[in-house]
Amino acid sequence: MARAASAVRPRLARFARTAKPRVARFARATGPQLARITGPKTWQYTAGAATAGLALAAGVVTAAGPWDSTGQRTAERDRAVALERTGGTDHGSGSGASGTSSGSPRPAPSAGAVLTGLGGTTTPGGVKAAPGGKDLAGLLDPLLKDDPALGEHRAASVVDLATGKRLYGLGGDAPLIPASTTKIATAVAALTALGPDHRLTTRTALEADTGELVLVGGGDPTLTARKDPHGLASLRTLAEKTAAALKKRDVRKVTLSYDTTLYAGTEMHPIGVNDNLARVTALMTDEGRTDDSTSGPAPRVPDPAADAARTFAGLLKEHGVTASAPGPSKATARADTLAKVSSPPLSALVERMLTNSDNDLAEALARHTAAATGKRADFDGAGAAVTARLGQLGLPVEGARFHDGSGLDRTDLISADLLTALLAEAADPARPQLRAVLTGLPVAHFTGTLAGRYTDGAAGLVRAKTGTLTGVNTLAGTVTTPDGRLLGFAFLANATTDPWTAQTTLDRAATALASPRA
């Protein structure tokens, strides 16, 4: 990784110098067009003429974000600058940096294409507008309209993110069960309510009158107790800082409590005890996982807050401070903050949530959205807050229902039109705070929940959030066409009977959008 970064750095510098005048020219050319967009509802599907294109290129190329553990981001940047040369990284799915495995693409075969659609150097003039999309019905109808694999209820929407024009629709305004594509809505709501630089803070507070030490949960499910925090907020660091502050006060024995009152209501999601989600509480470490995993289903501890407090007590002891067995409490306004640790910025958390389909993060961000907007930080308040934020953006929320932030609740409802409107909003250059919504989408065959899919020519061309529940298959994201157009799409299928066949059909539909005919 270090060698790859060193090799890419000078190329990035050259790319930045080359791209800068193109960005300026693009902005000058599209300014008058933006001024003419005055229709009251047109903007719902308008990414802005400057759109995801060059605005995203600047953000993605110069600030790749945290998700580079497999080298995908590095390979994409390298590929974008090196044009047609092989990227040199296998993204963890091939046989090596210079070879391929059966069924896997060559190293970074399409990273250039991914960034081309985001305004990369391989497309002169940046993102192109779709001529009309008249061929899309011929491509998509046999899959989305006629294929019985998609069950009784299906909906679709495709928009051109350069112009905001709708290119294809199939029951686009009908609310259906969205499954995990709900996280796109949660991401947009959280970023607009809190901002991309917001951090979730866990702290310790000392009650001066009683000497009680309170571990105050800040609603950060990524708080980690592992020795290597990998850039996350560390409970070990918090314990070290807290012990040092106590020793300065000549305190080496404390009564330990923990505070989870940032959240309200029940901690149990309607799905009940489930490996896909821990109890929703403002204090936990490593998402309450009982193994070494960082994503996907895993057994969870029965009481994440109590477990985190017990771990904290053990860490304090390592630094010479003895703590009592912890119990629940609430820090008062008179308590003195001794130490604090903060999560990565919200933009990074959103990327993680979308890439890994992180349910714990999704529920946390929905509750933080509620708290930031004056709503009760429980399931109902979080759903109301997300709906309100999207409504304030002018998005088509009619018929939408949000009963959680993750999409695990089968009573959630979202239309295909709303999903593509969310993608268009995230692509709007006037909304740079939403860019993580697009950069966090899994890359076909390379990252996150799409890593095991798209072994054909669409590998790297599709970036999309997946959604799967029993009888529900959904997919929403962006796709790059061979001639440099960037499209936003949303496909929803309910009442499916064969999840694998339905998933394959949706993947084929997204692949069709990447074909020369699209």
Side-chain angles (χ1 to χ4, degrees), residues 258-281:
Y258 57 92
D259 182 348
T260 62
T261 59
L262 178 64
Y263 293 171
T266 179
E267 296 179 352
M268 186 64 69
H269 190 280
I271 63 171
V273 177
N274 195 287
D275 285 355
N276 288 297
L277 180 71
R279 296 178 72 94
V280 183
T281 176

Side-chain angles (χ1 to χ4, degrees), residues 297-317:
R300 312 302 178 103
V301 297
D303 189 340
D307 181 77
R310 286 192 295 269
T311 300
F312 187 71
L315 294 171
L316 284 176
K317 189 173 182 179

Side-chain angles (χ1 to χ4, degrees), residues 226-268:
R226 292 166 180 164
K227 290 184 178 180
D228 187 347
H230 292 289
L232 302 174
S234 170
L235 191 70
R236 292 173 180 269
T237 299
L238 184 62
E240 181 180 4
K241 291 181 176 180
T242 301
L246 289 170
K247 289 177 180 178
K248 286 184 178 180
R249 299 173 180 236
D250 198 26
V251 175
R252 286 174 171 76
K253 188 174 182 179
V254 294
T255 298
L256 180 62
S257 301
Y258 57 92
D259 182 348
T260 62
T261 59
L262 178 64
Y263 293 171
T266 179
E267 296 179 352
M268 186 64 69

Side-chain angles (χ1 to χ4, degrees), residues 368-391:
H368 280 283
T369 302
T373 56
K375 300 287 195 300
R376 180 176 164 87
D378 58 9
F379 282 108
D380 290 340
V386 170
T387 303
R389 295 303 298 183
L390 303 189

Side-chain angles (χ1 to χ4, degrees), residues 201-446:
T201 299
T202 308
R203 65 187 179 96
T204 52
L206 185 65
E207 299 287 357
D209 51 348
T210 65
E212 177 187 11
L213 177 67
V214 186
L215 175 60
V216 183
D220 178 10
T222 68
L223 176 70
T224 181
R226 292 166 180 164
K227 290 184 178 180
D228 187 347
H230 292 289
L232 302 174
S234 170
L235 191 70
R236 292 173 180 269
T237 299
L238 184 62
E240 181 180 4
K241 291 181 176 180
T242 301
L246 289 170
K247 289 177 180 178
K248 286 184 178 180
R249 299 173 180 236
D250 198 26
V251 175
R252 286 174 171 76
K253 188 174 182 179
V254 294
T255 298
L256 180 62
S257 301
Y258 57 92
D259 182 348
T260 62
T261 59
L262 178 64
Y263 293 171
T266 179
E267 296 179 352
M268 186 64 69
H269 190 280
I271 63 171
V273 177
N274 195 287
D275 285 355
N276 288 297
L277 180 71
R279 296 178 72 94
V280 183
T281 176
L283 177 63
M284 65 172 69
T285 57
D286 301 301
E287 300 183 334
R289 296 171 181 271
T290 60
D291 57 20
D292 293 331
S293 65
T294 57
S295 64
R300 312 302 178 103
V301 297
D303 189 340
D307 181 77
R310 286 192 295 269
T311 300
F312 187 71
L315 294 171
L316 284 176
K317 189 173 182 179
E318 292 179 7
H319 292 284
V321 175
T322 301
S324 66
S329 184
K330 177 177 171 56
T332 68
R334 301 184 304 276
D336 296 328
T337 295
L338 296 185
K340 61 178 66 175
V341 291
S342 296
S343 72
L346 186 64
S347 58
L349 298 181
V350 164
E351 285 192 325
R352 172 179 174 139
M353 175 185 69
L354 294 172
T355 299
N356 291 342
S357 198
D358 192 315
N359 298 309
D360 299 280
L361 254 178
E363 298 303 343
L365 296 187
R367 273 168 165 69
H368 280 283
T369 302
T373 56
K375 300 287 195 300
R376 180 176 164 87
D378 58 9
F379 282 108
D380 290 340
V386 170
T387 303
R389 295 303 298 183
L390 303 189
Q392 289 169 16
L393 292 173
L395 300 175
V397 295
E398 295 82 4
R401 299 289 183 271
F402 297 97
H403 293 123
D404 68 358
S406 62
L408 289 172
D409 194 318
R410 299 181 66 87
T411 62
D412 291 339
L413 293 173
I414 300 180
S415 68
D417 284 348
L418 175 53
L419 285 170
T420 50
L422 287 163
L423 294 168
E425 189 75 7
D428 189 339
R431 304 278 186 190
Q433 72 272 27
L434 300 183
R435 207 66 71 230
V437 175
L438 298 189
T439 58
L441 294 174
V443 180
H445 197 79
F446 291 137

